[in-house]
Amino acid sequence: AMRYYGLPFSPMLFIPFVGAVIQMQKLPATAAQSAVVALAGPVVGGVAAGATAFAGHATGSQLLMALGDWGFMINLFNLLPIGGLDGGRVADALHPALPALGLVGGVGLAASGAIANPIFYLVLLSGAFQVGGQLFGFSQPPPAHYRMTGGPMIATALAYVGCIGSLVAGMALNNVGRKSPRRIEAEQRGEIIDRAPTGGGDGVYDDYFAEFDDSNSRRDDRWGG
């Protein structure tokens, strides 16, 4: 998308557990172009995640299903309306006040412990820099950049919401029949599991949140006792 609009950009940088990062070296001419550029990455990433998940279900590979799930989650994270993320650029294109609201929500997620990842703290710092730049005028785009109204604004908002919805739906479908790491390990040891995964992917994320569960009800139910 950046090449299509003639925007110079930096070489691709891959950050482990986050994904690829490309830095634009010139601001798009309009907010509509900025939104298209921002949404292009998650769309391509979502298609790649969906293809990986589909291959996993077609071959019965739990590894490919897990990689597809990771791809869905990374792209959903990237669509958070916080500066520095693609979602932040889309929000900024829709209205300059939206990144500030996204930043407040992000701080709330970090404070509540819902997202406790050091990389997310860096994202919040980037978002704070963007919001501060707009408030104090040292990184304010020209006013014409925000003149997106009517059809383009509605189309951008629908594309943003549609992209998020598609990723959530893809993740839910991928979790049908997907097994948690603990279940896979138990099956490899030949242990008898008292029930198969349900249609909604029940228990897929139990391993990741087990440390927050004070009871043993899940473990007893899944492992027969």
Side-chain angles (χ1 to χ4, degrees):
M2 284 184 278
R3 184 176 289 111
Y4 176 81
Y5 288 121
L7 301 172
F9 54 89
S10 66
M12 182 180 296
L13 174 65
F14 182 79
I15 301 178
F17 308 109
V18 174
V21 176
I22 299 176
Q23 182 65 40
M24 285 189 298
Q25 298 175 344
K26 179 183 177 182
L27 190 69
T30 66
Q33 290 184 9
S34 181
V36 170
V37 170
L39 286 171
V43 168
V44 173
V47 171
T52 303
F54 178 81
H57 285 273
T59 61
S61 171
Q62 291 291 325
L63 174 60
L64 289 178
M65 293 181 201
L67 288 174
D69 185 70
W70 177 82
F72 287 128
M73 285 193 291
I74 286 295
N75 284 283
L76 278 172
F77 176 83
N78 190 28
L79 284 173
L80 289 173
I82 302 174
L85 299 177
D86 286 332
R89 284 192 280 271
V90 175
D92 186 57
L94 290 171
H95 195 281
L98 291 179
L101 297 177
L103 178 63
V104 172
V107 171
L109 291 174
S112 66
I115 300 181
N117 189 313
I119 295 177
F120 185 59
Y121 303 147
L122 295 177
V123 170
L124 291 178
L125 287 175
S126 175
F129 179 81
Q130 175 183 332
V131 172
Q134 292 178 348
L135 287 176
F136 298 105
F138 59 82
S139 64
Q140 183 73 31
H145 183 75
Y146 291 114
R147 290 175 186 168
M148 181 170 64
T149 57
M153 177 175 289
I154 294 174
T156 298
L158 290 176
Y160 179 56
V161 174
C163 191
I164 293 175
S166 298
L167 290 170
V168 171
M171 180 181 293
L173 290 173
N174 181 46
N175 282 341
V176 176
R178 196 165 73 86
K179 303 174 184 178
S180 70
R182 190 164 53 183
R183 179 180 288 272
I184 295 174
E185 290 176 1
E187 291 180 352
Q188 290 175 343
R189 292 194 300 266
E191 296 181 10
I192 298 176
I193 309 300
D194 64 334
R195 69 178 185 183
T198 65
D202 179 55
V204 170
Y205 299 112
D206 284 358
D207 294 359
Y208 309 117
F209 302 104
E211 60 181 299
F212 301 106
D213 187 3
D214 294 332
S215 68
N216 292 322
S217 58
R218 289 186 181 178
R219 181 182 181 91
D220 292 344
D221 184 49
R222 293 175 62 196
W223 310 118

